[in-house]
Amino acid sequence: MITVSVYDTKPYDRKYLEAGPHGGRIAWRFHDFRLGADTAPLAAPAPAVCIFVNDRADRAVLEALHRAGVRLLALRCAGFNNVDLAAARELGLAVVRVPAYSPHAVAEHTVALLLTLNRKIHRAYQRVREHNFALNGLVGFDICGRTVGIVGTGRIGRITAQIFRGFEARVIAYDPLPNSEWAAAHGITYADFDTLLAQSDILTLHLPLTPETNHLLNERTIRRMKPGAFLINTSRGKLIDTSALIAALKAGHLGGVALDVYEEEEGVFFEDLSAEVLPDDELSHLLTFPNVLITSHQAFLTHEALSEIARVTTENILRFDTGGGFLPGTVL
Ligand code: NAD
């Protein structure tokens, strides 16, 4: 039996982890709070810790976990920008993740955001419930024939591109490691990033957050986007400079912005703050634009994705406990 401290848990995390294939060999200790310098010592006596996207695993936290006897950090997500991997290696802490739990979940949410924002479904839904059957202000555009720019053609970007091809859109893509065979098979062409900025009616981000991609969309690059373009980000909040985004929205340069992630989402997204004052002025400002749609990091939230996250995480923890190797492709 191995004890695992699970940080930042919600009811759906508990439900799926408890139902995972652990055969009673894992004692889950579910914590509501996130991992940080102050909460790291509370991992003890568990040798394994399970974290999510807004838990912080910087050097100081990893050192505190190590002092508490933790030897395995299992990320129940794909992105790992919140973990200091060099520090983990120095401390001999194994770090595993779930690289691809359901790229379809994220790709489908990306398209759902675009369709909602473009066809103003969220506004129409509210209107009709109040018996306002007028159509004024609800005009959208056909996706068919439009140019969609996919930044990053990894697992999620490729599926998103294929869905947009299903709408008969022209799809162009940028990736420093292009997959030409896949592109040719789906009628997609690679171009440089500047071409995507200049030509895309819809620009969607599917790349990891790294020091190089931080604020990839900034004052300079947003200005180069096609006037009236829609921007979608379901990857990581810090890919977009929020101040520059707000300035571009105020100037009327962008047609619409759909975000499932936000630069300062930590401590806000995943929480019910409906009875509280929002201290983040930029998020409050974004929420006032009629052409901005925000969901709180829910693109991954499907039955299939949660089941796969639980399966891979459970399997890796059991393998760690019995000294077997981790699942291929999951070690960082
Ligand atoms: P992946 O590793 O399969 O693909 C990422 C791609 O981005 C790779 O092809 C890589 O070459 C490319 N890339 C790297 N740097 C780039 C750059 N500067 N410009 C363009 N492309 C670049 O990753 P994935 O599984 O497709 O995930 C993509 C993103 O989605 C990640 O940031 C991940 O954190 C995020 N994500 C979000 C959610 C959510 O719920 N919102 C869920 C899962 C993943």
Side-chain angles (χ1 to χ4, degrees), residues 203-223:
L203 189 74
T204 178
L205 308 181
H206 301 287
L207 68 161
L209 176 67
T210 62
E212 294 73 44
T213 63
N214 188 59
H215 285 186
L216 180 74
L217 271 290
N218 52 44
E219 198 262 326
R220 192 175 46 83
T221 49
I222 293 176
R223 197 173 346 112

Side-chain angles (χ1 to χ4, degrees), residues 101 106 152 154-156 174-176 207-208 234-236 260 297 300:
Y101 36 86
V106 183
R155 285 168 283 246
I156 297 168
Y174 167 70
D175 194 308
L207 68 161
T234 56
S235 283
R236 282 293 180 266
D260 185 53
H297 211 135
F300 73 100

Side-chain angles (χ1 to χ4, degrees), residues 218-220 222-223 240-254 257 282 285-286 289 291-292:
N218 52 44
E219 198 262 326
R220 192 175 46 83
I222 293 176
R223 197 173 346 112
I240 301 180
D241 177 342
T242 308
S243 309
L245 183 69
I246 290 173
L249 281 161
K250 281 176 75 177
H253 182 57
L254 295 174
V257 173
E282 290 204 313
H285 199 160
L286 278 175
F289 292 101
N291 55 345
V292 172

Side-chain angles (χ1 to χ4, degrees), residues 265-279:
E265 69 179 54
E266 198 182 318
V268 178
F269 282 16
F270 309 126
E271 307 303 330
D272 179 0
L273 305 180
S274 52
E276 297 186 29
V277 172
L278 207 53

Side-chain angles (χ1 to χ4, degrees), residues 62-221:
L62 292 174
E63 284 171 354
L65 287 178
H66 190 261
R67 278 195 298 277
V70 173
R71 296 295 176 264
L72 172 69
L73 191 64
L75 279 64
R76 55 182 193 282
C77 55
F80 51 90
N81 50 283
N82 51 340
V83 182
D84 185 336
L85 289 179
R89 259 189 287 278
E90 279 171 36
L91 293 163
L93 259 169
V95 184
V96 291
R97 65 169 177 149
V98 188
Y101 36 86
S102 173
H104 290 275
V106 183
E108 288 172 15
H109 189 76
T110 302
V111 179
L113 284 175
L114 188 266
L115 289 174
T116 306
L117 187 62
N118 170 30
R119 303 305 300 269
K120 301 168 177 64
I121 305 294
H122 54 313
R123 305 182 73 189
Y125 171 79
Q126 296 293 355
R127 276 191 197 185
V128 170
R129 281 174 69 89
E130 294 186 2
H131 300 181
N132 175 356
F133 301 102
L135 300 183
N136 303 332
L138 299 183
V139 178
F141 59 81
D142 286 13
I143 295 170
C144 173
R146 296 279 173 159
T147 298
V148 179
I150 308 275
V151 188
T153 53
R155 285 168 283 246
I156 297 168
R158 288 201 301 276
I159 295 167
T160 308
Q162 289 166 218
I163 297 174
F164 277 118
R165 286 294 290 145
F167 283 99
E168 298 183 31
R170 170 184 176 239
V171 176
I172 55 177
Y174 167 70
D175 194 308
L177 300 171
N179 184 336
S180 308
E181 213 173 293
W182 162 81
H186 293 280
I188 292 159
T189 30
Y190 277 103
D192 57 29
F193 184 52
D194 268 346
T195 304
L196 258 69
L197 291 174
Q199 296 189 5
S200 300
D201 298 298
I202 299 159
L203 189 74
T204 178
L205 308 181
H206 301 287
L207 68 161
L209 176 67
T210 62
E212 294 73 44
T213 63
N214 188 59
H215 285 186
L216 180 74
L217 271 290
N218 52 44
E219 198 262 326
R220 192 175 46 83
T221 49

